[in-house]
Amino acid sequence: KDIRSHIKMDPAYEEVLGLIRSLPVDGKILSLPLNDHGYQVLKGENDAAYVGPSTITYLAAKNEFTSNAELGDFGQSLLTAVRARNYPMFRNILSVLNIKYIFYNEDPYIYLNNFPGFPYTEVRNFSPDTQEGYKEFIKNLGVKEIKTISGKYHIYELDDASYVPHIYTAENIAYWN
């Protein structure tokens, strides 16, 4: 709604991409706020917006989920967990999907008033309806904040107990018939 399309990238977001690029290879990223179609929404330095494929995937070379659609069979379960504020279920889904990090863009410009529909149409029925609601949701997840950049870009990390890496050895073996 009344958004210009020629974006000048925010230098603080370039710092975000550099930090994300430096994270370990193992461990995918979930970006919030979630959307319907796998797009990322970013405000530029010039009050324009980028709505398109993930810059984290293409510029920082990291595996990232930006929408419930990208989560496949887990998408609806994740949205249900968000709506019910079922934090253990949400963390379990992240664990199964090998998600170690959460990137949260709290800029109000990219949510609500400027984007009343697309790309958040269905997700809004499940997710927090404000950026403050997202902050509260993340706080209750029990994740550790790695860094905040420019007061609006936040990177969080799940603890080792909730994260299952691609390659691991089991601590116990259970046999049953």
Side-chain angles (χ1 to χ4, degrees):
K1 180 174 135 183
D2 301 324
I3 303 289
R4 297 183 327 177
S5 62
H6 292 84
I7 184 172
K8 180 177 179 188
M9 188 177 285
D10 179 358
Y13 188 71
E14 290 181 43
E15 184 181 342
V16 168
L17 291 174
L19 175 65
I20 289 174
R21 191 178 301 113
S22 73
L23 293 173
V25 172
D26 194 34
K28 296 174 183 147
I29 299 167
L30 176 70
S31 284
L32 300 175
L34 284 172
N35 65 71
D36 296 334
H37 305 286
Y39 291 116
Q40 181 179 24
V41 182
L42 288 172
K43 178 184 180 223
E45 191 177 47
N46 58 343
D47 289 337
Y50 167 79
V51 180
S54 166
T55 58
I56 291 173
T57 298
Y58 291 102
L59 299 177
K62 297 295 181 187
N63 291 322
E64 176 196 29
F65 299 104
T66 61
S67 75
N68 66 317
E70 296 173 320
L71 297 170
D73 292 340
F74 294 97
Q76 196 61 40
S77 296
L78 187 89
L79 290 179
T80 301
V82 171
R83 177 188 281 163
R85 303 302 188 253
N86 186 337
Y87 303 106
M89 180 179 173
F90 188 90
R91 287 175 63 97
N92 285 341
I93 293 169
L94 297 184
S95 180
V96 167
L97 293 172
N98 186 241
I99 294 172
K100 173 92 173 161
Y101 305 100
I102 295 173
F103 167 69
Y104 171 53
N105 181 350
E106 78 166 83
D107 191 339
Y109 188 86
I110 67 157
Y111 205 55
L112 294 181
N113 294 338
N114 294 326
F115 294 91
F118 179 83
Y120 306 109
T121 308
E122 182 183 340
V123 170
R124 276 213 179 101
N125 295 325
F126 296 87
S127 61
D129 55 0
T130 65
Q131 291 286 44
E132 284 299 318
Y134 262 107
K135 282 197 270 191
E136 184 67 24
F137 183 81
I138 292 168
K139 185 176 110 181
N140 287 314
L141 280 176
V143 293
K144 178 179 92 176
E145 186 167 17
I146 296 174
K147 188 158 186 169
T148 294
I149 297 173
S150 190
K152 62 183 172 183
Y153 303 118
H154 306 275
I155 301 167
Y156 301 91
E157 178 179 33
L158 273 72
D159 59 25
D160 289 338
S162 299
Y163 173 68
V164 179
H166 282 127
I167 300 173
Y168 62 93
T169 56
E171 291 179 9
N172 299 311
I173 299 174
Y175 297 96
W176 71 89
N177 190 342

